Amino acid sequence: MLSFRGDAHKFYVKLKNSNHTHLRYDQNRELKEIREIQDFYETIETKTLIDIYYKMVKEKNGSGIIPIFVSAGPWLLFIFSKQLQEFLFKDGSMLWLTFIILYVTILSLSVMLHFHEKAWASLHIEVIQDILKARGIEK
């Protein structure tokens, strides 16, 4: 069944179904992974944890190479459009189709990777903030 809902809703449905089959929530792989992250960060001293927090914020907010690729790539292709058209369309070649498929695939994977990494950074930031809050330090 194809669903256009996000991962959060799919996770909710998975947990809801697990509850109906009497599976324990701590047996869920995703929840176990988050618990491992929490347990690890709880063992780190506060000063180091604050430094890790700053690094995670940097990672989440950093522009990185992927957004640059997404925004600069089309401009680069536009600059060389005449030469690119001559190369891709010469002598009835189907090279243009290969180029488009490859370019769209790389672009799509890059964007998905970027947002996936940003989501993980957000998770780490939230976990660290909760631990610091429990220690009486607000971030």
Side-chain angles (χ1 to χ4, degrees), residues 6-18 23-39 116 119-120 123-124 127:
D7 290 340
H9 184 76
K10 291 175 187 172
F11 182 65
Y12 158 75
V13 170
K14 183 177 181 180
L15 287 177
K16 185 177 168 187
N17 291 339
S18 294
L23 288 175
R24 294 176 38 161
Y25 288 125
D26 64 343
Q27 292 175 339
N28 180 282
R29 180 184 57 84
E30 292 95 344
L31 292 177
K32 285 172 70 173
E33 187 173 25
I34 293 170
R35 174 60 61 197
E36 289 171 1
I37 292 168
Q38 289 172 326
D39 291 344
H116 179 78
W120 271 109
L123 177 114
H124 283 262
V127 168

